[in-house]
């Protein structure tokens, strides 16, 4: 017992000296290792999207309800009334339907899916499949295509040159069928869109099965969460 206690005391006394030696001799390698660990950290995905984080706290409204309850209609009305916006849906046909509906109502809307990209001159709205959601800090766009009113400001700390593409921001975003965030093969796309869509106001629509998860993700990212329940008509 006394021998074990003595060994423990010796280790406690020697370890600080050993640590000082390691940190002084291998400082560069330790710094490089820490940098690798930070770059490979997968535990805080909301921090991967600086454009969205710059808008925090965003307001996330969860429209929960069964089919034919008006949950998606409410979200799309907010989208149509906004100066700029994006719709992210699970299917190409849904994105096409939303784009056609908005254009028919006089709200110019682009269509972006994995199969096609349809540009409407002067558009400030985009309807896309969720995998095509734009979450990057900056994007290259052709003259005359979508550029949000927010992106016209020159106060962005990342606007290093007038020739740089402006950051893309939306007033309203709609993420449809949010319960698919739990899908083993496609759930990543909804997680990415929820964390990364640079919109101050986000409406997510679906059944209530993902409400607790979305609320937890919003709490983690510092966004405001509100649950709005809809009943079948």
């Amino acid at each position: 017992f006394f021998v074990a206690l003595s060994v423990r005391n010796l280790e406690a006394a020697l370890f600080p000296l050993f640590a000082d030696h390691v940190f002084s001799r291998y400082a560069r390698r330790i710094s490089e290792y820490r940098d690798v660990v930070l770059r490979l950290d997968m535990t805080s995905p909301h921090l991967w999207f600086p454009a969205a984080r710059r808008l925090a706290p965003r307001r996330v409204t969860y429209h929960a309800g069964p089919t034919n309850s008006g949950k998606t209609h409410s979200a799309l009305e907010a989208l149509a009334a906004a100066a700029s916006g994006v719709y992210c849906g699970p299917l190409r046909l849904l994105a096409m339907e939303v784009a056609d509906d908005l254009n028919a109502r006089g709200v110019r809307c682009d269509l972006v899916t994995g199969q096609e990209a349809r540009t409407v001159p002067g558009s400030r709205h985009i309807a896309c499949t969720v995998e095509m959601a734009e979450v990057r800090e900056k994007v290259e766009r052709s003259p005359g295509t979508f550029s949000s009113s927010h992106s016209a400001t020159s106060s962005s700390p990342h606007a290093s040159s007038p020739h740089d593409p402006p950051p893309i921001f939306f007033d309203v975003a709609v993420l449809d069928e949010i319960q698919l965030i739990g899908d083993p093969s496609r759930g990543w796309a909804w997680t990415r869109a929820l964390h990364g869509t640079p919109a101050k106001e986000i409406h997510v629509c679906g059944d209530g099965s993902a409400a607790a998860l979305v609320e937890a993700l919003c709490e983690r990212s510092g966004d405001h969460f509100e649950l709005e329940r809809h009943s079948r008509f």
Side-chain angles (χ1 to χ4, degrees), residues 46-230:
H46 60 285
L47 298 180
W48 303 346
F49 307 100
R53 297 287 70 75
R54 191 177 299 129
L55 296 175
R58 301 174 303 167
R59 184 162 60 108
V60 179
T61 301
Y62 192 119
H63 297 272
T67 303
N68 195 32
S69 61
K71 58 183 185 298
T72 305
H73 174 78
S74 297
L76 292 178
E77 286 298 305
L79 178 66
S84 62
V86 57
Y87 168 85
C88 303
L91 301 172
R92 179 173 63 93
L93 290 177
L94 279 176
M96 291 178 61
E97 182 181 334
V98 170
D100 290 344
D101 179 65
L102 290 178
N103 282 304
R105 297 169 62 174
V107 180
R108 298 178 182 180
C109 182
D110 293 345
L111 174 67
V112 181
T113 71
Q115 290 76 30
E116 64 179 314
R118 187 192 308 164
T119 300
V120 178
S123 169
R124 302 168 72 85
H125 288 69
I126 300 175
C128 64
T129 45
V130 68
E131 286 85 357
M132 301 299 292
E134 185 55 73
V135 297
R136 290 175 294 172
E137 181 73 8
K138 295 177 180 178
V139 295
E140 294 284 356
R141 290 188 180 275
S142 302
T145 58
F146 173 84
S147 178
S148 169
S149 58
H150 295 289
S151 66
T153 62
S154 59
S155 60
S156 169
H158 296 274
S160 57
S161 164
H163 302 292
D164 288 340
I168 299 299
F169 296 105
F170 301 103
D171 292 298
V172 171
V174 175
L175 309 184
D176 207 359
E177 303 296 344
I178 188 62
Q179 72 276 1
L180 290 175
I181 197 172
D183 184 82
S185 60
R186 296 186 69 197
W188 64 269
W190 275 266
T191 304
R192 171 179 172 272
L194 178 63
H195 279 321
T197 300
K200 192 69 176 177
E201 180 180 333
I202 298 179
H203 296 262
V204 299
C205 313
D207 62 41
S209 61
L213 175 58
V214 172
E215 183 175 11
L217 293 176
C218 289
E219 183 178 355
R220 185 87 182 273
S221 60
D223 295 323
H224 294 312
F225 175 84
E226 179 182 351
L227 179 60
E228 186 175 315
R229 296 192 178 277
H230 299 257

